[in-house]
Amino acid sequence: MATAVLVSWIGAAAAVADPPDTQIVRTPAGGFEELFAPSSMGPIKLQVQWAARGGSAALYVLDGLRAPNDHSQWTTDTDALRQFAGDNVTLVFPVGGRSSFYTDWYRPSSTNNQATTYKWETFLTRELPAFLEGFGVSRTNNAIVGASMGGSAALTLAGHHRDQFKFAGSFSGFVHPTFPLWNEAMRAAMVDEGNFNLDDMWGPVGDPAWNRNDATEQAELLRGLPIYLWTGNGTPGPLDLPYGVGNTVNAMGLEAITEISAEMFRDRAAALGIAARIDIVNGTHTWPYWQQALATARPMILGALGV
């Protein structure tokens, strides 16, 4: 069942600017912009909503497995921009990275003629902060959240880069990928979404990269960091009606799996005495629920960033 539902893993169902030649003290005050940041993977498109009053704090918002190559689904499928429009924090939506898990791969995917090796951790924690610094955005006062694939990545990235991130949030994240046989569900999902080869990402099961990218196994790294983990339990409701029966059934199955991984993360954190807010409520693997989760996380994010 895990394999069957993860085959359909989903995030749910432009002006170009360069950083100024000289360092600026404050970010642009408000407004939305599309930029291209340099990376080892080539230029990466960003959608950015600048802090309302030119503050330097930033929130990185990560997409799901089916991340489009022209926009972030957060900007089209949720009201994330409106939620933070009056807040003094810059929202940064990296575009692209489908089936990447926002991690550094060992090599290009060998099953789809991928031209370059995914290096998303390097981008999000080195190249992107350096680029945004040219616009006055802090390299150290950041928060990170994500949905589905992006949710599990948000926790692992924050754990390994505590000097950069002050808050981490996972919404329906697959936060325990080393659990036995779940790798095969991931393999099926990545084949379905772009014919990507799981073995080229973290190597065979048992490779140290698997443990490094497992938020549950790496929970100790999150000690003292404000964390919000949200997942549904697979029970549908009115928010699922626009997606139809087929998509809702799939979203129910996906969320039943993320609920299990959330429970394992919760138990691991409790055993270690690590504080985290973990909400497991009615809901499915669908964008309206992640919109609500982001709204719940918003005051926690603003508080952690001091804005």
Side-chain angles (χ1 to χ4, degrees), residues 53-131:
R53 296 177 295 284
S56 63
L59 169 63
Y60 292 24
V61 190
L62 305 182
D63 230 327
L65 194 82
R66 298 194 189 279
N69 61 11
D70 61 346
H71 71 282
S72 166
Q73 284 190 270
W74 282 101
T75 65
T76 55
D77 292 33
T78 78
D79 67 351
L81 295 171
R82 182 197 61 78
Q83 286 187 31
F84 288 85
D87 296 321
N88 203 24
V89 57
T90 292
L91 268 59
V92 181
F93 304 90
V95 174
R98 66 174 182 161
S99 290
S100 69
F101 282 83
Y102 294 107
T103 188
D104 282 0
W105 286 43
Y106 279 132
R107 52 192 168 267
S109 174
S110 58
T111 48
N112 61 1
N113 297 315
Q114 188 179 22
T116 60
T117 303
Y118 273 148
K119 294 292 181 182
W120 276 95
E121 179 173 356
T122 296
F123 176 67
L124 293 168
T125 62
R126 298 182 189 176
E127 296 162 341
L128 180 55
F131 175 77

Side-chain angles (χ1 to χ4, degrees), residues 75-202:
T75 65
T76 55
D77 292 33
T78 78
D79 67 351
L81 295 171
R82 182 197 61 78
Q83 286 187 31
F84 288 85
D87 296 321
N88 203 24
V89 57
T90 292
L91 268 59
V92 181
F93 304 90
V95 174
R98 66 174 182 161
S99 290
S100 69
F101 282 83
Y102 294 107
T103 188
D104 282 0
W105 286 43
Y106 279 132
R107 52 192 168 267
S109 174
S110 58
T111 48
N112 61 1
N113 297 315
Q114 188 179 22
T116 60
T117 303
Y118 273 148
K119 294 292 181 182
W120 276 95
E121 179 173 356
T122 296
F123 176 67
L124 293 168
T125 62
R126 298 182 189 176
E127 296 162 341
L128 180 55
F131 175 77
L132 292 173
E133 188 177 34
F135 294 89
V137 176
S138 172
R139 297 176 70 126
T140 59
N141 194 27
N142 305 150
I144 186 167
V145 300
S148 191
M149 170 187 82
S152 50
L155 294 187
T156 55
L157 289 168
H160 289 295
H161 300 277
R162 291 291 298 273
D163 58 337
Q164 180 179 0
F165 297 112
K166 301 293 188 290
F167 175 92
S170 171
F171 313 142
S172 301
F174 194 54
V175 296
H176 196 10
T178 62
F179 192 73
L181 297 181
W182 285 18
N183 61 298
E184 293 306 321
M186 292 172 61
R187 183 185 303 278
M190 292 167 65
V191 168
D192 180 68
E193 183 47 46
N195 196 27
F196 285 88
N197 186 353
L198 175 68
D199 296 330
D200 295 321
M201 181 169 73
W202 296 333

Side-chain angles (χ1 to χ4, degrees), residues 30-56:
F32 179 85
E33 207 169 349
E34 293 189 339
L35 313 171
F36 283 86
S39 84
S40 65
M41 301 177 284
I44 301 295
K45 184 176 181 179
L46 308 172
Q47 293 181 293
V48 179
Q49 178 171 274
W50 299 111
R53 296 177 295 284
S56 63

Side-chain angles (χ1 to χ4, degrees), residues 190-225:
M190 292 167 65
V191 168
D192 180 68
E193 183 47 46
N195 196 27
F196 285 88
N197 186 353
L198 175 68
D199 296 330
D200 295 321
M201 181 169 73
W202 296 333
V205 174
D207 187 285
W210 278 88
N211 185 276
R212 186 183 185 278
N213 288 281
D214 187 312
T216 301
E217 295 298 320
Q218 298 295 328
E220 180 61 43
L221 298 180
L222 297 168
R223 185 181 298 277
L225 183 75

